[in-house]
Amino acid sequence: MSVPEGLERVVRRLAARAPLSEADRDAVRSLDFSYRTLEPASYIVREGEPVRNCVLLLTGFAFRHKVTGDGQRQIMSVHMAGEFLDLQNSFLKVADHNVQTLTRCDIASVPTDALRVLSESHPLVARAMWIDTLIEAAIFREWIVNVGRRDSISRIAHLLCEFALRLRHAGLAERDLYELPMTQEQIADSTGLTPVHVNRVLKELGRRGLIEREKRAVSIRDWDALREIGDFNSRYLHMEAGGPTTRASAA
Amino acid sequence: MSVPEGLERVVRRLAARAPLSEADRDAVRSLDFSYRTLEPASYIVREGEPVRNCVLLLTGFAFRHKVTGDGQRQIMSVHMAGEFLDLQNSFLKVADHNVQTLTRCDIASVPTDALRVLSESHPLVARAMWIDTLIEAAIFREWIVNVGRRDSISRIAHLLCEFALRLRHAGLAERDLYELPMTQEQIADSTGLTPVHVNRVLKELGRRGLIEREKRAVSIRDWDALREIGDFNSRYLHMEAGGPTTRASAA
DNA sequence: CGTAACTTTGATTAGTATCAAAAATGGTGG
DNA sequence: CCACCATTTTTGATACTAATCAAAGTTACG
């Protein structure tokens, strides 16, 4: 995917949040982005550092995480092409968590000051960005529920459902087959489990005929059963939120 | 506390997020609020319902929660006097979680449309509200870490540290003594534990001399030790964020 | 002053973590 | 293309944290 295509993906995503005019879209496009390609596992934001830029993910996958005092890692979200990576940090002074690439990624970054100016001159863009952060917060809340109150098999089933829907909604995957570029250790860090246990649960999901795995590709063989066991309801993804066109809500 | 006092608390809180002019503050004050007093355990927002109003908490405590398919509850945040309860839902169409009072509460509510209009005419107010939601999101992230990667004693110690700092910062409690109006069951639902286990852990914290409890009042006897065992770092609370005056950061 | 809600304690169990090591996979340089 | 090495996945055995079950105290409240 070319850089301009990646940028269009971001614009499209924003436009789905609030009814942006063509002028609004152009204002986003004409921000003074600088483009880079990052290798897997590169840090985009480090906890404790001042935040000066906001990063857009044009291609690839990235994730947020924190490390506890005794060295355990918790992943708090996973991001895919087309998403703003850093509205969460951009208007605060110091980053309170790390953001790291999962795969090789093309990114565009823009000074947060430029974004602030844009948000003041284009209220609808500001509104779209705000709604985007609200939806991200909704996903954080669901993850609290996931790690706090579901058992291991539900947690993983829930995670797989969420990714399937988000990827499909973003046009990055088909209905029930997707490439999940996460190791089992990263899945463990997303669900508050150990890698060993994640492995056993994934096998169990396969044994029960809910999913099939081919390397890191996941195909969902029984949506209803997976949703059921994952206690999954897509409401928190707000896939219809504020958009100019209402899409058929999935799952 | 009188109603106007409660409202001033909210204005003060917003003004700490972005440098509001007197006109900005007045614009907030002159919103067409309707005031009510709610009994403990009243619902303010219900999952699945359309959101038309935004609620400000003038006095008392409230919390957000979801209930899983098998009836377990997870509390995702706890709120205190002076906080906006509903910026999280207000710009989305349908609530994805419940908000309920913990104690008797005085609230002010305002139609979300009025808030949207205000945010368009007063960009700094919009900015302050946005930052407020970002800080709330930062707290959600920390809670994911808390439930995902800390053991029971750390989780509870962390929670107690967070409340102590937030209450102190809001001027609602002294340095190391506060009234926490939560039952042990509610603490359990906030930490992903069972009430029985919460009870044992609280006793253990007392036995080790870190806290003392007198009914629901908690007094912290050894801040350093509690922070240490709770793996607590206040950075995620962004207590200095964007404010006109920088306060000494605590803990 | 009676009743419901909450806290506390004890005994047992269950679900995941931990520890250890083998097998499979993927990438790299020769 | 192969051999090698690092990473990831898989399996087995055991340990431990927190859940569950049950019931007695205690507190708050109408």
Side-chain angles (χ1 to χ4, degrees), chain A residues 47 66 69 72-73 88 91 94 96 116 127 138 141-142 149 188-189 193 231 235 238, chain B residues 47 66 69 72-74 88 91 94 96 116 127 138 141-142 149 188-189 193 231 235 238:
Chain A
E47 177 172 358
K66 283 190 183 182
Q72 295 186 87
R73 180 174 66 171
Q88 289 294 339
F91 294 88
V94 175
D96 62 32
R116 190 174 44 71
R127 187 177 166 71
R141 288 193 294 270
E142 184 67 29
R149 284 294 184 219
D189 287 340
L193 300 168
D231 186 29
R235 178 180 290 138
H238 295 276
Chain B
E47 176 172 358
K66 283 191 183 182
Q72 296 186 88
R73 180 174 67 171
Q74 176 68 42
Q88 289 294 339
F91 294 88
V94 175
D96 60 32
R116 189 174 44 70
R127 186 177 167 71
R141 288 193 295 270
E142 184 67 27
R149 285 295 185 220
D189 286 340
L193 300 168
D231 185 31
R235 177 180 289 138
H238 295 276

mmCIF file of all heavy atoms in Angstrom, chain A residues 47 66 69 72-73 88 91 94 96 116 127 138 141-142 149 188-189 193 231 235 238, chain B residues 47 66 69 72-74 88 91 94 96 116 127 138 141-142 149 188-189 193 231 235 238:
data_model
loop_
_atom_site.group_PDB
_atom_site.id
_atom_site.type_symbol
_atom_site.label_atom_id
_atom_site.label_comp_id
_atom_site.label_asym_id
_atom_site.label_seq_id
_atom_site.Cartn_x
_atom_site.Cartn_y
_atom_site.Cartn_z
ATOM 1 N N GLU A 47 6.992 5.535 27.677
ATOM 2 C CA GLU A 47 6.476 6.051 28.933
ATOM 3 C C GLU A 47 7.473 7.010 29.569
ATOM 4 O O GLU A 47 8.666 6.722 29.618
ATOM 5 C CB GLU A 47 6.205 4.884 29.891
ATOM 6 C CG GLU A 47 5.737 5.379 31.243
ATOM 7 C CD GLU A 47 5.270 4.260 32.174
ATOM 8 O OE1 GLU A 47 5.275 3.082 31.762
ATOM 9 O OE2 GLU A 47 4.897 4.590 33.318
ATOM 10 N N LYS A 66 2.239 -1.347 29.113
ATOM 11 C CA LYS A 66 2.978 -0.892 30.284
ATOM 12 C C LYS A 66 3.708 -2.084 30.865
ATOM 13 O O LYS A 66 3.290 -3.230 30.676
ATOM 14 C CB LYS A 66 2.026 -0.359 31.359
ATOM 15 C CG LYS A 66 1.483 1.019 31.099
ATOM 16 C CD LYS A 66 0.755 1.544 32.326
ATOM 17 C CE LYS A 66 0.147 2.901 32.036
ATOM 18 N NZ LYS A 66 -0.525 3.464 33.219
ATOM 19 N N GLY A 69 6.301 -3.085 37.924
ATOM 20 C CA GLY A 69 7.546 -3.005 38.669
ATOM 21 C C GLY A 69 8.348 -4.294 38.646
ATOM 22 O O GLY A 69 9.576 -4.275 38.606
ATOM 23 N N GLN A 72 6.548 -7.551 34.541
ATOM 24 C CA GLN A 72 5.509 -8.145 33.708
ATOM 25 C C GLN A 72 4.946 -7.095 32.757
ATOM 26 O O GLN A 72 4.844 -5.926 33.110
ATOM 27 C CB GLN A 72 4.379 -8.680 34.581
ATOM 28 C CG GLN A 72 4.784 -9.817 35.464
ATOM 29 C CD GLN A 72 3.579 -10.384 36.175
ATOM 30 O OE1 GLN A 72 2.884 -11.256 35.680
ATOM 31 N NE2 GLN A 72 3.310 -9.856 37.358
ATOM 32 N N ARG A 73 4.565 -7.549 31.582
ATOM 33 C CA ARG A 73 4.015 -6.612 30.608
ATOM 34 C C ARG A 73 2.511 -6.791 30.483
ATOM 35 O O ARG A 73 2.015 -7.916 30.498
ATOM 36 C CB ARG A 73 4.671 -6.865 29.245
ATOM 37 C CG ARG A 73 4.158 -5.937 28.150
ATOM 38 C CD ARG A 73 4.919 -6.121 26.856
ATOM 39 N NE ARG A 73 4.682 -7.438 26.282
ATOM 40 C CZ ARG A 73 5.095 -7.804 25.070
ATOM 41 N NH1 ARG A 73 5.808 -6.963 24.340
ATOM 42 N NH2 ARG A 73 4.840 -8.998 24.614
ATOM 43 N N GLN A 88 -4.381 9.670 22.217
ATOM 44 C CA GLN A 88 -4.410 9.378 23.652
ATOM 45 C C GLN A 88 -3.342 10.122 24.425
ATOM 46 O O GLN A 88 -3.508 10.452 25.585
ATOM 47 C CB GLN A 88 -4.254 7.877 23.905
ATOM 48 C CG GLN A 88 -5.445 7.036 23.511
ATOM 49 C CD GLN A 88 -6.679 7.310 24.354
ATOM 50 O OE1 GLN A 88 -6.594 7.827 25.463
ATOM 51 N NE2 GLN A 88 -7.845 6.991 23.834
ATOM 52 N N PHE A 91 -2.483 15.276 23.862
ATOM 53 C CA PHE A 91 -2.859 16.484 24.547
ATOM 54 C C PHE A 91 -2.519 16.432 26.022
ATOM 55 O O PHE A 91 -2.935 17.279 26.809
ATOM 56 C CB PHE A 91 -4.325 16.797 24.284
ATOM 57 C CG PHE A 91 -4.537 17.126 22.837
ATOM 58 C CD1 PHE A 91 -4.801 16.138 21.911
ATOM 59 C CD2 PHE A 91 -4.384 18.429 22.400
ATOM 60 C CE1 PHE A 91 -4.948 16.440 20.573
ATOM 61 C CE2 PHE A 91 -4.531 18.734 21.055
ATOM 62 C CZ PHE A 91 -4.814 17.746 20.133
ATOM 63 N N VAL A 94 3.109 14.272 29.228
ATOM 64 C CA VAL A 94 4.082 13.179 29.316
ATOM 65 C C VAL A 94 3.361 11.866 29.055
ATOM 66 O O VAL A 94 2.284 11.634 29.596
ATOM 67 C CB VAL A 94 4.717 13.149 30.725
ATOM 68 C CG1 VAL A 94 5.632 11.952 30.881
ATOM 69 C CG2 VAL A 94 5.475 14.452 30.986
ATOM 70 N N ASP A 96 2.158 8.201 29.398
ATOM 71 C CA ASP A 96 2.066 7.339 30.571
ATOM 72 C C ASP A 96 2.153 5.862 30.198
ATOM 73 O O ASP A 96 1.906 4.996 31.026
ATOM 74 C CB ASP A 96 0.777 7.639 31.348
ATOM 75 C CG ASP A 96 -0.470 7.372 30.526
ATOM 76 O OD1 ASP A 96 -0.467 6.472 29.673
ATOM 77 O OD2 ASP A 96 -1.462 8.091 30.727
ATOM 78 N N ARG A 116 -3.394 20.652 17.216
ATOM 79 C CA ARG A 116 -4.179 21.528 18.074
ATOM 80 C C ARG A 116 -4.752 22.695 17.262
ATOM 81 O O ARG A 116 -5.928 23.034 17.367
ATOM 82 C CB ARG A 116 -3.322 22.055 19.225
ATOM 83 C CG ARG A 116 -4.095 22.788 20.298
ATOM 84 C CD ARG A 116 -3.228 23.155 21.488
ATOM 85 N NE ARG A 116 -1.931 23.689 21.084
ATOM 86 C CZ ARG A 116 -1.739 24.876 20.521
ATOM 87 N NH1 ARG A 116 -2.764 25.651 20.272
ATOM 88 N NH2 ARG A 116 -0.530 25.260 20.182
ATOM 89 N N ARG A 127 -14.080 17.215 16.585
ATOM 90 C CA ARG A 127 -15.129 16.342 17.074
ATOM 91 C C ARG A 127 -14.885 14.886 16.669
ATOM 92 O O ARG A 127 -15.036 13.960 17.472
ATOM 93 C CB ARG A 127 -16.447 16.832 16.487
ATOM 94 C CG ARG A 127 -17.654 16.133 17.015
ATOM 95 C CD ARG A 127 -18.903 16.776 16.386
ATOM 96 N NE ARG A 127 -20.048 15.934 16.600
ATOM 97 C CZ ARG A 127 -20.619 15.776 17.790
ATOM 98 N NH1 ARG A 127 -20.146 16.427 18.824
ATOM 99 N NH2 ARG A 127 -21.646 14.976 17.929
ATOM 100 N N ALA A 138 -13.769 3.248 25.158
ATOM 101 C CA ALA A 138 -14.786 2.200 25.317
ATOM 102 C C ALA A 138 -14.135 0.822 25.210
ATOM 103 O O ALA A 138 -14.495 -0.120 25.922
ATOM 104 C CB ALA A 138 -15.878 2.350 24.259
ATOM 105 N N ARG A 141 -12.354 0.024 28.392
ATOM 106 C CA ARG A 141 -13.284 -0.445 29.422
ATOM 107 C C ARG A 141 -13.629 -1.914 29.227
ATOM 108 O O ARG A 141 -13.663 -2.688 30.179
ATOM 109 C CB ARG A 141 -14.572 0.389 29.408
ATOM 110 C CG ARG A 141 -14.412 1.798 29.936
ATOM 111 C CD ARG A 141 -15.776 2.442 30.189
ATOM 112 N NE ARG A 141 -16.540 2.648 28.975
ATOM 113 C CZ ARG A 141 -16.503 3.738 28.215
ATOM 114 N NH1 ARG A 141 -15.738 4.760 28.562
ATOM 115 N NH2 ARG A 141 -17.229 3.833 27.125
ATOM 116 N N GLU A 142 -13.872 -2.289 27.988
ATOM 117 C CA GLU A 142 -14.211 -3.688 27.738
ATOM 118 C C GLU A 142 -13.038 -4.595 28.102
ATOM 119 O O GLU A 142 -13.241 -5.712 28.590
ATOM 120 C CB GLU A 142 -14.612 -3.891 26.280
ATOM 121 C CG GLU A 142 -15.075 -5.304 25.941
ATOM 122 C CD GLU A 142 -16.387 -5.698 26.608
ATOM 123 O OE1 GLU A 142 -17.222 -4.808 26.883
ATOM 124 O OE2 GLU A 142 -16.582 -6.914 26.852
ATOM 125 N N ARG A 149 -13.001 -10.206 34.711
ATOM 126 C CA ARG A 149 -14.116 -11.078 35.071
ATOM 127 C C ARG A 149 -14.367 -12.266 34.155
ATOM 128 O O ARG A 149 -15.338 -12.992 34.358
ATOM 129 C CB ARG A 149 -15.418 -10.256 35.142
ATOM 130 C CG ARG A 149 -15.523 -9.390 36.406
ATOM 131 C CD ARG A 149 -15.626 -10.250 37.644
ATOM 132 N NE ARG A 149 -15.822 -9.480 38.870
ATOM 133 C CZ ARG A 149 -15.222 -9.809 40.019
ATOM 134 N NH1 ARG A 149 -14.404 -10.841 40.088
ATOM 135 N NH2 ARG A 149 -15.451 -9.109 41.106
ATOM 136 N N ALA A 188 -0.948 -13.460 25.420
ATOM 137 C CA ALA A 188 -0.934 -13.613 26.878
ATOM 138 C C ALA A 188 -0.866 -12.248 27.560
ATOM 139 O O ALA A 188 -1.589 -11.980 28.521
ATOM 140 C CB ALA A 188 0.249 -14.477 27.308
ATOM 141 N N ASP A 189 -0.019 -11.367 27.044
ATOM 142 C CA ASP A 189 0.114 -10.049 27.659
ATOM 143 C C ASP A 189 -1.113 -9.176 27.419
ATOM 144 O O ASP A 189 -1.309 -8.173 28.099
ATOM 145 C CB ASP A 189 1.372 -9.345 27.137
ATOM 146 C CG ASP A 189 2.644 -9.956 27.724
ATOM 147 O OD1 ASP A 189 2.560 -10.621 28.770
ATOM 148 O OD2 ASP A 189 3.721 -9.773 27.131
ATOM 149 N N LEU A 193 -2.744 -13.489 30.899
ATOM 150 C CA LEU A 193 -2.476 -14.910 31.105
ATOM 151 C C LEU A 193 -0.995 -15.195 30.843
ATOM 152 O O LEU A 193 -0.236 -14.282 30.535
ATOM 153 C CB LEU A 193 -3.339 -15.739 30.143
ATOM 154 C CG LEU A 193 -4.858 -15.562 30.282
ATOM 155 C CD1 LEU A 193 -5.584 -16.196 29.098
ATOM 156 C CD2 LEU A 193 -5.351 -16.173 31.595
ATOM 157 N N ASP A 231 -18.466 -14.282 25.361
ATOM 158 C CA ASP A 231 -19.379 -13.306 25.962
ATOM 159 C C ASP A 231 -19.265 -11.985 25.202
ATOM 160 O O ASP A 231 -19.153 -10.916 25.786
ATOM 161 C CB ASP A 231 -19.001 -13.121 27.443
ATOM 162 C CG ASP A 231 -19.986 -12.224 28.195
ATOM 163 O OD1 ASP A 231 -21.171 -12.193 27.815
ATOM 164 O OD2 ASP A 231 -19.551 -11.524 29.131
ATOM 165 N N ARG A 235 -21.344 -3.992 20.832
ATOM 166 C CA ARG A 235 -21.814 -2.633 21.093
ATOM 167 C C ARG A 235 -20.682 -1.665 21.443
ATOM 168 O O ARG A 235 -20.658 -0.528 20.993
ATOM 169 C CB ARG A 235 -22.842 -2.645 22.215
ATOM 170 C CG ARG A 235 -23.327 -1.248 22.559
ATOM 171 C CD ARG A 235 -24.341 -1.273 23.684
ATOM 172 N NE ARG A 235 -25.606 -1.847 23.261
ATOM 173 C CZ ARG A 235 -26.318 -2.688 23.999
ATOM 174 N NH1 ARG A 235 -25.878 -3.067 25.177
ATOM 175 N NH2 ARG A 235 -27.458 -3.145 23.552
ATOM 176 N N HIS A 238 -18.844 0.566 18.885
ATOM 177 C CA HIS A 238 -19.512 1.755 18.341
ATOM 178 C C HIS A 238 -19.257 1.904 16.852
ATOM 179 O O HIS A 238 -18.848 2.968 16.383
ATOM 180 C CB HIS A 238 -19.061 3.020 19.086
ATOM 181 C CG HIS A 238 -19.480 3.036 20.517
ATOM 182 N ND1 HIS A 238 -20.719 3.454 20.934
ATOM 183 C CD2 HIS A 238 -18.838 2.639 21.633
ATOM 184 C CE1 HIS A 238 -20.825 3.325 22.258
ATOM 185 N NE2 HIS A 238 -19.689 2.833 22.697
ATOM 186 N N GLU B 47 -26.654 0.678 30.208
ATOM 187 C CA GLU B 47 -26.127 0.113 28.978
ATOM 188 C C GLU B 47 -27.258 -0.163 27.995
ATOM 189 O O GLU B 47 -28.300 -0.687 28.376
ATOM 190 C CB GLU B 47 -25.394 -1.204 29.287
ATOM 191 C CG GLU B 47 -24.898 -1.882 28.037
ATOM 192 C CD GLU B 47 -24.004 -3.078 28.307
ATOM 193 O OE1 GLU B 47 -23.723 -3.388 29.474
ATOM 194 O OE2 GLU B 47 -23.578 -3.703 27.312
ATOM 195 N N LYS B 66 -19.998 -2.853 34.104
ATOM 196 C CA LYS B 66 -20.662 -3.738 33.153
ATOM 197 C C LYS B 66 -20.936 -5.048 33.853
ATOM 198 O O LYS B 66 -20.249 -5.410 34.808
ATOM 199 C CB LYS B 66 -19.744 -4.030 31.959
ATOM 200 C CG LYS B 66 -19.657 -2.914 30.957
ATOM 201 C CD LYS B 66 -18.945 -3.406 29.699
ATOM 202 C CE LYS B 66 -18.791 -2.263 28.722
ATOM 203 N NZ LYS B 66 -18.152 -2.709 27.466
ATOM 204 N N GLY B 69 -22.080 -11.907 30.794
ATOM 205 C CA GLY B 69 -23.166 -12.808 30.458
ATOM 206 C C GLY B 69 -23.566 -13.711 31.614
ATOM 207 O O GLY B 69 -24.743 -14.024 31.784
ATOM 208 N N GLN B 72 -21.539 -11.741 36.379
ATOM 209 C CA GLN B 72 -20.508 -11.101 37.197
ATOM 210 C C GLN B 72 -20.415 -9.626 36.844
ATOM 211 O O GLN B 72 -20.591 -9.248 35.699
ATOM 212 C CB GLN B 72 -19.154 -11.761 36.955
ATOM 213 C CG GLN B 72 -19.097 -13.201 37.373
ATOM 214 C CD GLN B 72 -17.692 -13.734 37.227
ATOM 215 O OE1 GLN B 72 -16.865 -13.649 38.114
ATOM 216 N NE2 GLN B 72 -17.420 -14.285 36.067
ATOM 217 N N ARG B 73 -20.098 -8.831 37.837
ATOM 218 C CA ARG B 73 -19.986 -7.400 37.610
ATOM 219 C C ARG B 73 -18.526 -6.973 37.614
ATOM 220 O O ARG B 73 -17.730 -7.461 38.411
ATOM 221 C CB ARG B 73 -20.734 -6.654 38.716
ATOM 222 C CG ARG B 73 -20.685 -5.139 38.564
ATOM 223 C CD ARG B 73 -21.547 -4.445 39.598
ATOM 224 N NE ARG B 73 -21.018 -4.636 40.941
ATOM 225 C CZ ARG B 73 -21.477 -3.995 42.021
ATOM 226 N NH1 ARG B 73 -22.503 -3.163 41.908
ATOM 227 N NH2 ARG B 73 -20.964 -4.219 43.200
ATOM 228 N N GLN B 74 -18.178 -6.073 36.707
ATOM 229 C CA GLN B 74 -16.859 -5.454 36.772
ATOM 230 C C GLN B 74 -17.041 -3.955 36.832
ATOM 231 O O GLN B 74 -17.680 -3.365 35.951
ATOM 232 C CB GLN B 74 -16.006 -5.831 35.556
ATOM 233 C CG GLN B 74 -14.647 -5.133 35.509
ATOM 234 C CD GLN B 74 -13.687 -5.588 36.598
ATOM 235 O OE1 GLN B 74 -13.587 -6.771 36.888
ATOM 236 N NE2 GLN B 74 -12.991 -4.651 37.230
ATOM 237 N N GLN B 88 -17.829 10.445 28.578
ATOM 238 C CA GLN B 88 -17.506 9.161 27.940
ATOM 239 C C GLN B 88 -18.627 8.659 27.044
ATOM 240 O O GLN B 88 -18.385 7.974 26.067
ATOM 241 C CB GLN B 88 -17.196 8.096 28.996
ATOM 242 C CG GLN B 88 -15.872 8.291 29.723
ATOM 243 C CD GLN B 88 -14.661 8.137 28.829
ATOM 244 O OE1 GLN B 88 -14.720 7.529 27.764
ATOM 245 N NE2 GLN B 88 -13.533 8.698 29.242
ATOM 246 N N PHE B 91 -20.982 11.675 23.449
ATOM 247 C CA PHE B 91 -20.874 11.893 22.023
ATOM 248 C C PHE B 91 -20.969 10.599 21.243
ATOM 249 O O PHE B 91 -20.707 10.555 20.054
ATOM 250 C CB PHE B 91 -19.605 12.682 21.719
ATOM 251 C CG PHE B 91 -19.696 14.070 22.286
ATOM 252 C CD1 PHE B 91 -19.289 14.337 23.577
ATOM 253 C CD2 PHE B 91 -20.279 15.085 21.546
ATOM 254 C CE1 PHE B 91 -19.429 15.610 24.119
ATOM 255 C CE2 PHE B 91 -20.423 16.365 22.074
ATOM 256 C CZ PHE B 91 -19.998 16.627 23.358
ATOM 257 N N VAL B 94 -25.224 5.303 21.828
ATOM 258 C CA VAL B 94 -25.823 4.374 22.777
ATOM 259 C C VAL B 94 -24.809 4.069 23.871
ATOM 260 O O VAL B 94 -23.634 3.830 23.582
ATOM 261 C CB VAL B 94 -26.218 3.065 22.057
ATOM 262 C CG1 VAL B 94 -26.721 2.035 23.054
ATOM 263 C CG2 VAL B 94 -27.271 3.346 20.993
ATOM 264 N N ASP B 96 -22.588 2.142 26.381
ATOM 265 C CA ASP B 96 -22.085 0.766 26.343
ATOM 266 C C ASP B 96 -21.812 0.227 27.745
ATOM 267 O O ASP B 96 -21.216 -0.823 27.908
ATOM 268 C CB ASP B 96 -20.825 0.678 25.469
ATOM 269 C CG ASP B 96 -19.699 1.558 25.978
ATOM 270 O OD1 ASP B 96 -19.592 1.743 27.197
ATOM 271 O OD2 ASP B 96 -18.921 2.056 25.148
ATOM 272 N N ARG B 116 -22.616 20.096 23.014
ATOM 273 C CA ARG B 116 -21.994 20.118 21.694
ATOM 274 C C ARG B 116 -21.908 21.556 21.176
ATOM 275 O O ARG B 116 -20.852 21.993 20.694
ATOM 276 C CB ARG B 116 -22.798 19.249 20.725
ATOM 277 C CG ARG B 116 -22.112 19.030 19.392
ATOM 278 C CD ARG B 116 -22.885 18.048 18.522
ATOM 279 N NE ARG B 116 -24.322 18.302 18.526
ATOM 280 C CZ ARG B 116 -24.902 19.344 17.960
ATOM 281 N NH1 ARG B 116 -24.166 20.238 17.328
ATOM 282 N NH2 ARG B 116 -26.210 19.501 18.016
ATOM 283 N N ARG B 127 -11.605 21.734 24.591
ATOM 284 C CA ARG B 127 -10.291 21.174 24.832
ATOM 285 C C ARG B 127 -10.175 20.639 26.260
ATOM 286 O O ARG B 127 -9.666 19.550 26.493
ATOM 287 C CB ARG B 127 -9.259 22.279 24.604
ATOM 288 C CG ARG B 127 -7.838 21.839 24.673
ATOM 289 C CD ARG B 127 -6.948 23.037 24.342
ATOM 290 N NE ARG B 127 -5.584 22.750 24.695
ATOM 291 C CZ ARG B 127 -4.833 21.906 24.041
ATOM 292 N NH1 ARG B 127 -5.312 21.275 22.973
ATOM 293 N NH2 ARG B 127 -3.596 21.665 24.424
ATOM 294 N N ALA B 138 -6.684 7.285 30.534
ATOM 295 C CA ALA B 138 -5.403 6.873 31.126
ATOM 296 C C ALA B 138 -5.653 6.030 32.374
ATOM 297 O O ALA B 138 -4.938 5.054 32.633
ATOM 298 C CB ALA B 138 -4.562 8.099 31.469
ATOM 299 N N ARG B 141 -6.650 2.581 31.362
ATOM 300 C CA ARG B 141 -5.481 1.771 30.983
ATOM 301 C C ARG B 141 -4.773 1.224 32.204
ATOM 302 O O ARG B 141 -4.385 0.059 32.241
ATOM 303 C CB ARG B 141 -4.496 2.606 30.150
ATOM 304 C CG ARG B 141 -4.971 2.915 28.747
ATOM 305 C CD ARG B 141 -3.831 3.453 27.875
ATOM 306 N NE ARG B 141 -3.330 4.730 28.331
ATOM 307 C CZ ARG B 141 -3.792 5.915 27.929
ATOM 308 N NH1 ARG B 141 -4.769 5.985 27.050
ATOM 309 N NH2 ARG B 141 -3.259 7.025 28.387
ATOM 310 N N GLU B 142 -4.610 2.076 33.213
ATOM 311 C CA GLU B 142 -3.931 1.603 34.411
ATOM 312 C C GLU B 142 -4.730 0.485 35.077
ATOM 313 O O GLU B 142 -4.155 -0.454 35.623
ATOM 314 C CB GLU B 142 -3.706 2.753 35.389
ATOM 315 C CG GLU B 142 -2.909 2.373 36.634
ATOM 316 C CD GLU B 142 -1.455 2.009 36.366
ATOM 317 O OE1 GLU B 142 -0.874 2.496 35.368
ATOM 318 O OE2 GLU B 142 -0.892 1.215 37.139
ATOM 319 N N ARG B 149 -2.233 -7.808 35.567
ATOM 320 C CA ARG B 149 -0.875 -8.248 35.886
ATOM 321 C C ARG B 149 -0.437 -8.105 37.331
ATOM 322 O O ARG B 149 0.723 -8.364 37.643
ATOM 323 C CB ARG B 149 0.128 -7.507 34.992
ATOM 324 C CG ARG B 149 0.171 -8.003 33.552
ATOM 325 C CD ARG B 149 0.674 -9.414 33.485
ATOM 326 N NE ARG B 149 0.849 -9.928 32.128
ATOM 327 C CZ ARG B 149 0.520 -11.178 31.781
ATOM 328 N NH1 ARG B 149 -0.025 -11.998 32.659
ATOM 329 N NH2 ARG B 149 0.720 -11.600 30.545
ATOM 330 N N ALA B 188 -14.099 -5.636 45.400
ATOM 331 C CA ALA B 188 -13.853 -6.868 44.660
ATOM 332 C C ALA B 188 -14.198 -6.690 43.181
ATOM 333 O O ALA B 188 -13.436 -7.097 42.299
ATOM 334 C CB ALA B 188 -14.677 -8.011 45.257
ATOM 335 N N ASP B 189 -15.322 -6.035 42.921
ATOM 336 C CA ASP B 189 -15.733 -5.846 41.529
ATOM 337 C C ASP B 189 -14.847 -4.836 40.804
ATOM 338 O O ASP B 189 -14.844 -4.768 39.579
ATOM 339 C CB ASP B 189 -17.202 -5.406 41.467
ATOM 340 C CG ASP B 189 -18.152 -6.561 41.769
ATOM 341 O OD1 ASP B 189 -17.737 -7.730 41.657
ATOM 342 O OD2 ASP B 189 -19.308 -6.293 42.125
ATOM 343 N N LEU B 193 -11.619 -9.479 41.887
ATOM 344 C CA LEU B 193 -11.441 -10.498 42.937
ATOM 345 C C LEU B 193 -12.802 -10.871 43.517
ATOM 346 O O LEU B 193 -13.824 -10.355 43.076
ATOM 347 C CB LEU B 193 -10.536 -9.948 44.041
ATOM 348 C CG LEU B 193 -9.117 -9.532 43.621
ATOM 349 C CD1 LEU B 193 -8.426 -8.742 44.713
ATOM 350 C CD2 LEU B 193 -8.291 -10.754 43.244
ATOM 351 N N ASP B 231 2.741 -1.104 43.580
ATOM 352 C CA ASP B 231 3.418 -0.791 42.315
ATOM 353 C C ASP B 231 2.820 0.497 41.734
ATOM 354 O O ASP B 231 2.509 0.592 40.555
ATOM 355 C CB ASP B 231 3.242 -1.968 41.338
ATOM 356 C CG ASP B 231 4.025 -1.786 40.041
ATOM 357 O OD1 ASP B 231 5.095 -1.157 40.076
ATOM 358 O OD2 ASP B 231 3.538 -2.268 38.989
ATOM 359 N N ARG B 235 1.910 8.876 37.732
ATOM 360 C CA ARG B 235 2.020 9.561 36.438
ATOM 361 C C ARG B 235 0.725 9.493 35.629
ATOM 362 O O ARG B 235 0.312 10.464 35.003
ATOM 363 C CB ARG B 235 3.161 8.948 35.626
ATOM 364 C CG ARG B 235 3.277 9.574 34.242
ATOM 365 C CD ARG B 235 4.411 8.951 33.450
ATOM 366 N NE ARG B 235 5.712 9.334 33.973
ATOM 367 C CZ ARG B 235 6.731 8.491 34.118
ATOM 368 N NH1 ARG B 235 6.591 7.223 33.799
ATOM 369 N NH2 ARG B 235 7.884 8.916 34.595
ATOM 370 N N HIS B 238 -2.024 12.215 35.655
ATOM 371 C CA HIS B 238 -1.800 13.481 34.950
ATOM 372 C C HIS B 238 -2.316 14.661 35.766
ATOM 373 O O HIS B 238 -3.078 15.486 35.257
ATOM 374 C CB HIS B 238 -2.479 13.464 33.578
ATOM 375 C CG HIS B 238 -1.884 12.450 32.657
ATOM 376 N ND1 HIS B 238 -0.760 12.699 31.903
ATOM 377 C CD2 HIS B 238 -2.226 11.171 32.393
ATOM 378 C CE1 HIS B 238 -0.455 11.618 31.199
ATOM 379 N NE2 HIS B 238 -1.320 10.673 31.484
#
